[in-house]
Amino acid sequence: MAGTSVRRWTVPHRGAYVARAEAALRSWPSLAVSDTRHGVSFAVRGTEILRLTGHDQVQIRLTAPAIGRLEPYLGECDQVRACPDRAWVCMRVDAQPDFDLLLALTSVAIKAHDA
């Protein structure tokens, strides 16, 4: 068809640690993976809990009570900041300790939503 263009989804380039996290989390049996035009997201029991939002950025849905319990620790972490929706946090993942923290926070999110 002459003159017709097809719009293709572009998958954002992932940083090394976000790519490693994506590969690891795809194997977690309690997580369902969605590949969309906005990126990759993970859900537990139909509730989205993790979004890979950029090169080295993710968003994690921990719930407000879980964030409240973790706030003394997360408040001191430069890699984690609050999102406008108080159930979510944004996180930069660009080193091994960040990768480890992401997996730990994902476990917290699973537990918070797997009741």
Side-chain angles (χ1 to χ4, degrees), residues 12-21 54-57 93-94:
H13 174 69
R14 300 271 180 245
Y17 292 99
V18 171
R20 281 182 53 205
H55 175 73
D56 62 357
Q57 300 290 318
V93 183
D94 59 7

Side-chain angles (χ1 to χ4, degrees), residues 6-105:
V6 176
R7 178 178 244 176
R8 296 185 188 269
W9 291 355
T10 58
V11 177
H13 174 69
R14 300 271 180 245
Y17 292 99
V18 171
R20 281 182 53 205
E22 179 182 354
L25 293 169
R26 282 181 179 273
S27 71
W28 289 21
S30 58
L31 291 176
V33 183
S34 295
D35 294 299
T36 71
R37 64 185 172 122
H38 299 291
V40 176
S41 68
F42 294 86
V44 63
R45 293 188 176 224
T47 301
E48 184 182 36
I49 64 164
L50 180 67
R51 299 174 184 147
L52 307 181
T53 56
H55 175 73
D56 62 357
Q57 300 290 318
V58 300
Q59 293 178 339
I60 309 164
R61 181 185 214 154
L62 294 173
T63 72
I67 292 170
R69 286 190 304 275
L70 295 170
E71 193 167 9
Y73 309 103
L74 297 178
E76 295 180 9
C77 180
D78 292 335
Q79 301 298 85
V80 179
R81 68 182 193 286
C83 288
D85 179 340
R86 295 191 42 86
W88 291 81
V89 295
C90 300
M91 182 176 177
R92 189 174 68 237
V93 183
D94 59 7
Q96 183 64 43
D98 308 332
F99 171 82
D100 296 337
L101 179 59
L102 171 60
L103 296 184
L105 291 178

